[in-house]
Amino acid sequence: MAGVERAVRLTAWVRGRVQGVGFRWWTRARALELGLVGSASNLRDGRVEVNAEGPESSCRALLTALRSGDTPGQVDSIVERWSEARGGLTGFVER
């Protein structure tokens, strides 16, 4: 089918000052604007794990936003992993 973009899953581990600063809320707002589903979760080691599924271009736009310097707090680095969308997700939640 021409013109239909394949769905992908982006997992991004964001390191920096990203907990307790509104980072997950900000990430959720950007993801919803882009029509993505998934979650943003605080990890015990201080990172935030972002899981997003949807069209590849939208996932790439979210990753660009995370790296933009416009986020709350401060992003020092992001490790990303790309995979096939698993499906079964609705909305975008903060955990």
Side-chain angles (χ1 to χ4, degrees):
M1 210 182 214
V4 174
E5 208 177 344
R6 73 185 181 110
V8 298
R9 180 181 183 99
L10 164 66
T11 304
W13 292 274
V14 184
R15 185 177 299 280
R17 194 168 56 81
V18 291
Q19 289 191 9
V21 293
F23 183 85
R24 291 176 301 150
W25 177 88
W26 184 91
T27 300
R28 177 180 179 268
R30 299 296 80 74
L32 291 173
E33 288 170 0
L34 292 164
L36 298 172
V37 296
S39 63
S41 311
N42 281 341
L43 299 178
R44 286 176 149 182
D45 65 5
R47 294 178 300 163
V48 169
E49 180 178 309
V50 177
N51 288 292
E53 287 191 7
E56 185 173 359
S57 63
S58 296
C59 285
R60 290 198 180 278
L62 179 61
L63 187 58
T64 298
L66 293 174
R67 288 188 166 135
S68 68
D70 294 334
T71 66
Q74 179 181 340
V75 173
D76 292 335
S77 64
I78 298 176
V79 174
E80 63 190 85
R81 183 179 70 202
W82 295 90
S83 55
E84 294 297 317
R86 297 179 194 162
L89 299 171
T90 55
F92 199 94
V93 298
E94 296 174 55
R95 293 196 172 124

